[in-house]
mmCIF file of all heavy atoms in Angstrom:
data_model
loop_
_atom_site.group_PDB
_atom_site.id
_atom_site.type_symbol
_atom_site.label_atom_id
_atom_site.label_comp_id
_atom_site.label_asym_id
_atom_site.label_seq_id
_atom_site.Cartn_x
_atom_site.Cartn_y
_atom_site.Cartn_z
ATOM 1 N N LEU A 557 24.709 15.662 1.411
ATOM 2 C CA LEU A 557 24.306 14.442 0.758
ATOM 3 C C LEU A 557 23.355 13.659 1.643
ATOM 4 O O LEU A 557 22.347 13.086 1.164
ATOM 5 C CB LEU A 557 25.531 13.578 0.420
ATOM 6 C CG LEU A 557 25.278 12.316 -0.399
ATOM 7 C CD1 LEU A 557 24.672 12.672 -1.759
ATOM 8 C CD2 LEU A 557 26.568 11.524 -0.595
ATOM 9 N N ALA A 558 23.639 13.621 2.940
ATOM 10 C CA ALA A 558 22.743 12.925 3.875
ATOM 11 C C ALA A 558 21.378 13.585 3.911
ATOM 12 O O ALA A 558 20.359 12.901 4.081
ATOM 13 C CB ALA A 558 23.377 12.908 5.264
ATOM 14 N N LEU A 559 21.360 14.921 3.743
ATOM 15 C CA LEU A 559 20.083 15.625 3.751
ATOM 16 C C LEU A 559 19.230 15.222 2.546
ATOM 17 O O LEU A 559 18.043 14.919 2.670
ATOM 18 C CB LEU A 559 20.323 17.132 3.750
ATOM 19 C CG LEU A 559 19.061 18.014 3.737
ATOM 20 C CD1 LEU A 559 18.224 17.768 4.975
ATOM 21 C CD2 LEU A 559 19.441 19.489 3.633
ATOM 22 N N SER A 560 19.840 15.210 1.335
ATOM 23 C CA SER A 560 19.075 14.889 0.138
ATOM 24 C C SER A 560 18.689 13.412 0.069
ATOM 25 O O SER A 560 17.567 13.050 -0.249
ATOM 26 C CB SER A 560 19.895 15.266 -1.111
ATOM 27 O OG SER A 560 21.138 14.578 -1.111
ATOM 28 N N VAL A 561 19.642 12.530 0.399
ATOM 29 C CA VAL A 561 19.351 11.104 0.390
ATOM 30 C C VAL A 561 18.421 10.728 1.542
ATOM 31 O O VAL A 561 17.553 9.849 1.407
ATOM 32 C CB VAL A 561 20.657 10.282 0.458
ATOM 33 C CG1 VAL A 561 20.357 8.790 0.567
ATOM 34 C CG2 VAL A 561 21.524 10.545 -0.772
ATOM 35 N N GLY A 562 18.577 11.390 2.657
ATOM 36 C CA GLY A 562 17.749 11.084 3.834
ATOM 37 C C GLY A 562 16.279 11.335 3.606
ATOM 38 O O GLY A 562 15.420 10.640 4.138
ATOM 39 N N ILE A 563 15.964 12.372 2.782
ATOM 40 C CA ILE A 563 14.568 12.668 2.492
ATOM 41 C C ILE A 563 13.923 11.478 1.757
ATOM 42 O O ILE A 563 12.814 11.032 2.099
ATOM 43 C CB ILE A 563 14.451 13.962 1.645
ATOM 44 C CG1 ILE A 563 14.872 15.177 2.487
ATOM 45 C CG2 ILE A 563 13.020 14.126 1.126
ATOM 46 C CD1 ILE A 563 14.903 16.465 1.707
ATOM 47 N N GLN A 564 14.636 10.954 0.766
ATOM 48 C CA GLN A 564 14.107 9.800 0.028
ATOM 49 C C GLN A 564 14.041 8.562 0.907
ATOM 50 O O GLN A 564 13.085 7.772 0.807
ATOM 51 C CB GLN A 564 14.980 9.513 -1.208
ATOM 52 C CG GLN A 564 14.479 8.373 -2.070
ATOM 53 C CD GLN A 564 13.055 8.597 -2.543
ATOM 54 O OE1 GLN A 564 12.702 9.708 -2.949
ATOM 55 N NE2 GLN A 564 12.241 7.555 -2.498
ATOM 56 N N ALA A 565 15.046 8.381 1.794
ATOM 57 C CA ALA A 565 15.012 7.245 2.712
ATOM 58 C C ALA A 565 13.822 7.346 3.654
ATOM 59 O O ALA A 565 13.163 6.336 3.955
ATOM 60 C CB ALA A 565 16.304 7.189 3.499
ATOM 61 N N LEU A 566 13.518 8.556 4.094
ATOM 62 C CA LEU A 566 12.363 8.750 4.973
ATOM 63 C C LEU A 566 11.063 8.437 4.237
ATOM 64 O O LEU A 566 10.185 7.768 4.783
ATOM 65 C CB LEU A 566 12.339 10.202 5.468
ATOM 66 C CG LEU A 566 11.120 10.610 6.313
ATOM 67 C CD1 LEU A 566 11.077 9.776 7.593
ATOM 68 C CD2 LEU A 566 11.188 12.100 6.658
ATOM 69 N N LEU A 567 10.964 8.872 2.967
ATOM 70 C CA LEU A 567 9.761 8.567 2.178
ATOM 71 C C LEU A 567 9.648 7.063 1.945
ATOM 72 O O LEU A 567 8.554 6.499 2.020
ATOM 73 C CB LEU A 567 9.828 9.310 0.845
ATOM 74 C CG LEU A 567 9.667 10.841 0.897
ATOM 75 C CD1 LEU A 567 9.905 11.439 -0.468
ATOM 76 C CD2 LEU A 567 8.308 11.220 1.437
ATOM 77 N N TRP A 568 10.781 6.409 1.652
ATOM 78 C CA TRP A 568 10.746 4.961 1.395
ATOM 79 C C TRP A 568 10.309 4.195 2.638
ATOM 80 O O TRP A 568 9.471 3.310 2.563
ATOM 81 C CB TRP A 568 12.119 4.487 0.938
ATOM 82 C CG TRP A 568 12.121 3.039 0.531
ATOM 83 C CD1 TRP A 568 11.709 2.538 -0.664
ATOM 84 C CD2 TRP A 568 12.522 1.939 1.311
ATOM 85 N NE1 TRP A 568 11.836 1.176 -0.663
ATOM 86 C CE2 TRP A 568 12.329 0.764 0.528
ATOM 87 C CE3 TRP A 568 13.060 1.800 2.617
ATOM 88 C CZ2 TRP A 568 12.654 -0.498 1.008
ATOM 89 C CZ3 TRP A 568 13.358 0.540 3.094
ATOM 90 C CH2 TRP A 568 13.151 -0.607 2.287
ATOM 91 N N MET A 569 10.896 4.535 3.773
ATOM 92 C CA MET A 569 10.539 3.837 5.000
ATOM 93 C C MET A 569 9.099 4.108 5.407
ATOM 94 O O MET A 569 8.353 3.214 5.786
ATOM 95 C CB MET A 569 11.495 4.240 6.131
ATOM 96 C CG MET A 569 12.921 3.794 5.926
ATOM 97 S SD MET A 569 13.080 2.011 6.023
ATOM 98 C CE MET A 569 14.865 1.842 5.821
ATOM 99 N N GLY A 570 8.709 5.391 5.346
ATOM 100 C CA GLY A 570 7.355 5.748 5.767
ATOM 101 C C GLY A 570 6.297 5.128 4.870
ATOM 102 O O GLY A 570 5.311 4.551 5.370
ATOM 103 N N THR A 571 6.456 5.252 3.567
ATOM 104 C CA THR A 571 5.466 4.666 2.644
ATOM 105 C C THR A 571 5.486 3.142 2.724
ATOM 106 O O THR A 571 4.431 2.506 2.575
ATOM 107 C CB THR A 571 5.742 5.118 1.205
ATOM 108 O OG1 THR A 571 7.105 4.805 0.873
ATOM 109 C CG2 THR A 571 5.519 6.607 1.048
ATOM 110 N N GLY A 572 6.660 2.552 2.954
ATOM 111 C CA GLY A 572 6.735 1.107 3.106
ATOM 112 C C GLY A 572 5.959 0.630 4.314
ATOM 113 O O GLY A 572 5.250 -0.385 4.262
ATOM 114 N N ALA A 573 6.056 1.385 5.410
ATOM 115 C CA ALA A 573 5.312 1.020 6.622
ATOM 116 C C ALA A 573 3.811 1.148 6.387
ATOM 117 O O ALA A 573 3.016 0.312 6.822
ATOM 118 C CB ALA A 573 5.735 1.906 7.790
ATOM 119 N N ILE A 574 3.391 2.201 5.646
ATOM 120 C CA ILE A 574 1.965 2.382 5.359
ATOM 121 C C ILE A 574 1.445 1.261 4.480
ATOM 122 O O ILE A 574 0.382 0.688 4.736
ATOM 123 C CB ILE A 574 1.742 3.746 4.681
ATOM 124 C CG1 ILE A 574 2.048 4.881 5.661
ATOM 125 C CG2 ILE A 574 0.297 3.861 4.178
ATOM 126 C CD1 ILE A 574 2.001 6.267 5.033
ATOM 127 N N MET A 575 2.193 0.892 3.422
ATOM 128 C CA MET A 575 1.758 -0.174 2.532
ATOM 129 C C MET A 575 1.728 -1.520 3.243
ATOM 130 O O MET A 575 0.899 -2.380 2.935
ATOM 131 C CB MET A 575 2.653 -0.240 1.305
ATOM 132 C CG MET A 575 2.492 0.931 0.369
ATOM 133 S SD MET A 575 3.386 0.717 -1.209
ATOM 134 C CE MET A 575 5.092 0.748 -0.615
ATOM 135 N N SER A 576 2.636 -1.706 4.211
ATOM 136 C CA SER A 576 2.634 -2.973 4.970
ATOM 137 C C SER A 576 1.419 -3.060 5.891
ATOM 138 O O SER A 576 0.927 -4.145 6.187
ATOM 139 C CB SER A 576 3.928 -3.085 5.798
ATOM 140 O OG SER A 576 5.047 -3.098 4.955
ATOM 141 N N TYR A 577 0.939 -1.897 6.342
ATOM 142 C CA TYR A 577 -0.201 -1.885 7.251
ATOM 143 C C TYR A 577 -1.521 -2.099 6.496
ATOM 144 O O TYR A 577 -2.412 -2.799 6.984
ATOM 145 C CB TYR A 577 -0.263 -0.552 7.992
ATOM 146 C CG TYR A 577 -1.457 -0.412 8.891
ATOM 147 C CD1 TYR A 577 -1.528 -1.109 10.111
ATOM 148 C CD2 TYR A 577 -2.522 0.381 8.509
ATOM 149 C CE1 TYR A 577 -2.631 -0.982 10.930
ATOM 150 C CE2 TYR A 577 -3.635 0.518 9.326
ATOM 151 C CZ TYR A 577 -3.674 -0.177 10.536
ATOM 152 O OH TYR A 577 -4.771 -0.055 11.325
ATOM 153 N N LEU A 578 -1.636 -1.546 5.299
ATOM 154 C CA LEU A 578 -2.872 -1.656 4.531
ATOM 155 C C LEU A 578 -3.021 -3.049 3.937
ATOM 156 O O LEU A 578 -2.049 -3.606 3.433
ATOM 157 C CB LEU A 578 -2.905 -0.616 3.412
ATOM 158 C CG LEU A 578 -2.886 0.852 3.853
ATOM 159 C CD1 LEU A 578 -2.794 1.757 2.632
ATOM 160 C CD2 LEU A 578 -4.117 1.194 4.663
ATOM 161 N N LYS A 579 -4.203 -3.589 3.994
ATOM 162 C CA LYS A 579 -4.487 -4.900 3.406
ATOM 163 C C LYS A 579 -4.756 -4.705 1.907
ATOM 164 O O LYS A 579 -5.565 -3.856 1.518
ATOM 165 C CB LYS A 579 -5.673 -5.559 4.081
ATOM 166 C CG LYS A 579 -5.404 -5.961 5.532
ATOM 167 C CD LYS A 579 -6.577 -6.708 6.108
ATOM 168 C CE LYS A 579 -6.301 -7.119 7.555
ATOM 169 N NZ LYS A 579 -5.161 -8.006 7.679
ATOM 170 N N ILE A 580 -4.088 -5.537 1.092
ATOM 171 C CA ILE A 580 -4.203 -5.393 -0.358
ATOM 172 C C ILE A 580 -5.644 -5.634 -0.833
ATOM 173 O O ILE A 580 -6.079 -5.045 -1.813
ATOM 174 C CB ILE A 580 -3.215 -6.364 -1.066
ATOM 175 C CG1 ILE A 580 -3.101 -6.003 -2.558
ATOM 176 C CG2 ILE A 580 -3.649 -7.797 -0.861
ATOM 177 C CD1 ILE A 580 -2.535 -4.649 -2.822
ATOM 178 N N GLU A 581 -6.412 -6.464 -0.089
ATOM 179 C CA GLU A 581 -7.807 -6.696 -0.471
ATOM 180 C C GLU A 581 -8.626 -5.433 -0.341
ATOM 181 O O GLU A 581 -9.508 -5.145 -1.167
ATOM 182 C CB GLU A 581 -8.415 -7.796 0.403
ATOM 183 C CG GLU A 581 -7.830 -9.181 0.194
ATOM 184 C CD GLU A 581 -6.538 -9.372 0.952
ATOM 185 O OE1 GLU A 581 -6.158 -8.453 1.736
ATOM 186 O OE2 GLU A 581 -5.877 -10.423 0.782
ATOM 187 N N HIS A 582 -8.324 -4.614 0.694
ATOM 188 C CA HIS A 582 -9.047 -3.355 0.884
ATOM 189 C C HIS A 582 -8.561 -2.330 -0.141
ATOM 190 O O HIS A 582 -9.351 -1.492 -0.603
ATOM 191 C CB HIS A 582 -8.842 -2.840 2.301
ATOM 192 C CG HIS A 582 -9.648 -3.591 3.336
ATOM 193 N ND1 HIS A 582 -10.682 -3.038 4.023
ATOM 194 C CD2 HIS A 582 -9.571 -4.872 3.742
ATOM 195 C CE1 HIS A 582 -11.208 -3.935 4.848
ATOM 196 N NE2 HIS A 582 -10.537 -5.070 4.687
ATOM 197 N N VAL A 583 -7.297 -2.335 -0.464
ATOM 198 C CA VAL A 583 -6.766 -1.403 -1.447
ATOM 199 C C VAL A 583 -7.448 -1.621 -2.808
ATOM 200 O O VAL A 583 -7.800 -0.692 -3.518
ATOM 201 C CB VAL A 583 -5.246 -1.554 -1.585
ATOM 202 C CG1 VAL A 583 -4.691 -0.702 -2.728
ATOM 203 C CG2 VAL A 583 -4.538 -1.173 -0.279
ATOM 204 N N ARG A 584 -7.644 -2.893 -3.161
ATOM 205 C CA ARG A 584 -8.274 -3.248 -4.440
ATOM 206 C C ARG A 584 -9.796 -3.292 -4.345
ATOM 207 O O ARG A 584 -10.449 -3.609 -5.338
ATOM 208 C CB ARG A 584 -7.756 -4.599 -4.922
ATOM 209 C CG ARG A 584 -6.275 -4.616 -5.224
ATOM 210 C CD ARG A 584 -5.802 -6.023 -5.555
ATOM 211 N NE ARG A 584 -4.405 -6.041 -5.932
ATOM 212 C CZ ARG A 584 -3.712 -7.175 -6.139
ATOM 213 N NH1 ARG A 584 -4.311 -8.354 -6.013
ATOM 214 N NH2 ARG A 584 -2.436 -7.098 -6.467
ATOM 215 N N SER A 585 -10.347 -2.989 -3.158
ATOM 216 C CA SER A 585 -11.792 -3.031 -2.908
ATOM 217 C C SER A 585 -12.388 -4.403 -3.151
ATOM 218 O O SER A 585 -13.575 -4.546 -3.506
ATOM 219 C CB SER A 585 -12.511 -1.981 -3.789
ATOM 220 O OG SER A 585 -12.073 -0.677 -3.457
ATOM 221 N N GLU A 586 -11.580 -5.450 -2.969
ATOM 222 C CA GLU A 586 -12.064 -6.811 -3.183
ATOM 223 C C GLU A 586 -13.096 -7.234 -2.121
ATOM 224 O O GLU A 586 -13.837 -8.181 -2.303
ATOM 225 C CB GLU A 586 -10.897 -7.810 -3.164
ATOM 226 C CG GLU A 586 -9.879 -7.610 -4.288
ATOM 227 C CD GLU A 586 -10.439 -8.044 -5.635
ATOM 228 O OE1 GLU A 586 -11.480 -8.724 -5.633
ATOM 229 O OE2 GLU A 586 -9.818 -7.723 -6.665
ATOM 230 N N HIS A 587 -13.114 -6.500 -0.999
ATOM 231 C CA HIS A 587 -14.032 -6.879 0.111
ATOM 232 C C HIS A 587 -15.427 -6.371 -0.112
ATOM 233 O O HIS A 587 -16.351 -6.724 0.654
ATOM 234 C CB HIS A 587 -13.468 -6.326 1.439
ATOM 235 C CG HIS A 587 -13.387 -4.836 1.484
ATOM 236 N ND1 HIS A 587 -12.614 -4.113 0.636
ATOM 237 C CD2 HIS A 587 -14.022 -3.936 2.308
ATOM 238 C CE1 HIS A 587 -12.728 -2.820 0.897
ATOM 239 N NE2 HIS A 587 -13.568 -2.692 1.910
ATOM 240 N N VAL A 588 -15.646 -5.536 -1.119
ATOM 241 C CA VAL A 588 -16.996 -5.002 -1.339
ATOM 242 C C VAL A 588 -17.538 -5.323 -2.728
ATOM 243 O O VAL A 588 -18.613 -4.842 -3.085
ATOM 244 C CB VAL A 588 -16.987 -3.459 -1.136
ATOM 245 C CG1 VAL A 588 -16.706 -3.114 0.301
ATOM 246 C CG2 VAL A 588 -15.981 -2.792 -2.073
ATOM 247 N N ILE A 589 -16.826 -6.135 -3.501
ATOM 248 C CA ILE A 589 -17.321 -6.508 -4.812
ATOM 249 C C ILE A 589 -17.276 -8.020 -4.977
ATOM 250 O O ILE A 589 -16.583 -8.724 -4.220
ATOM 251 C CB ILE A 589 -16.483 -5.868 -5.959
ATOM 252 C CG1 ILE A 589 -15.038 -6.353 -5.895
ATOM 253 C CG2 ILE A 589 -16.556 -4.360 -5.887
ATOM 254 C CD1 ILE A 589 -14.204 -5.894 -7.079
ATOM 255 N N SER A 590 -18.009 -8.524 -5.928
ATOM 256 C CA SER A 590 -18.041 -9.960 -6.220
ATOM 257 C C SER A 590 -17.715 -10.171 -7.692
ATOM 258 O O SER A 590 -18.251 -9.461 -8.561
ATOM 259 C CB SER A 590 -19.409 -10.545 -5.894
ATOM 260 O OG SER A 590 -19.492 -11.899 -6.315
ATOM 261 N N ARG A 591 -16.861 -11.130 -7.978
ATOM 262 C CA ARG A 591 -16.507 -11.469 -9.341
ATOM 263 C C ARG A 591 -17.149 -12.787 -9.780
ATOM 264 O O ARG A 591 -16.738 -13.398 -10.740
ATOM 265 C CB ARG A 591 -14.983 -11.555 -9.484
ATOM 266 C CG ARG A 591 -14.281 -10.268 -9.186
ATOM 267 C CD ARG A 591 -12.777 -10.372 -9.421
ATOM 268 N NE ARG A 591 -12.089 -9.170 -9.020
ATOM 269 C CZ ARG A 591 -11.925 -8.105 -9.818
ATOM 270 N NH1 ARG A 591 -12.429 -8.111 -11.038
ATOM 271 N NH2 ARG A 591 -11.268 -7.024 -9.393
ATOM 272 N N GLU A 592 -18.178 -13.218 -9.053
ATOM 273 C CA GLU A 592 -18.859 -14.461 -9.386
ATOM 274 C C GLU A 592 -19.578 -14.276 -10.723
ATOM 275 O O GLU A 592 -20.420 -13.375 -10.898
ATOM 276 C CB GLU A 592 -19.851 -14.807 -8.299
ATOM 277 C CG GLU A 592 -20.466 -16.189 -8.432
ATOM 278 C CD GLU A 592 -19.464 -17.296 -8.142
ATOM 279 O OE1 GLU A 592 -18.479 -17.022 -7.433
ATOM 280 O OE2 GLU A 592 -19.693 -18.423 -8.605
ATOM 281 N N PRO A 593 -19.268 -15.126 -11.714
ATOM 282 C CA PRO A 593 -19.926 -14.979 -13.024
ATOM 283 C C PRO A 593 -21.400 -15.348 -12.972
ATOM 284 O O PRO A 593 -21.823 -16.205 -12.180
ATOM 285 C CB PRO A 593 -19.132 -15.933 -13.923
ATOM 286 C CG PRO A 593 -18.585 -16.967 -12.981
ATOM 287 C CD PRO A 593 -18.314 -16.234 -11.697
ATOM 288 N N SER A 594 -22.187 -14.682 -13.796
ATOM 289 C CA SER A 594 -23.622 -14.992 -13.869
ATOM 290 C C SER A 594 -23.849 -16.180 -14.782
ATOM 291 O O SER A 594 -23.220 -16.323 -15.839
ATOM 292 C CB SER A 594 -24.393 -13.764 -14.425
ATOM 293 O OG SER A 594 -24.190 -12.635 -13.596
#
């Protein structure tokens, strides 16, 4: 049980750390586009 649950726990912790490191503005590409209306 620890083997099967541990795999998911490892994925949750690892992906959580990656998402915490990435800036949401860069994920959404907000730093390279402009939404200023014409």
Side-chain angles (χ1 to χ4, degrees):
L557 186 61
L559 179 61
S560 58
V561 175
I563 293 174
Q564 182 57 42
L566 176 62
L567 291 174
W568 185 81
M569 293 293 182
T571 54
I574 293 173
M575 289 188 294
S576 299
Y577 177 75
L578 298 175
K579 293 184 179 298
I580 193 63
E581 293 82 5
H582 285 247
V583 174
R584 296 174 177 173
S585 298
E586 296 288 347
H587 62 299
V588 293
I589 62 173
S590 173
R591 299 183 184 275
E592 190 70 23
S594 301

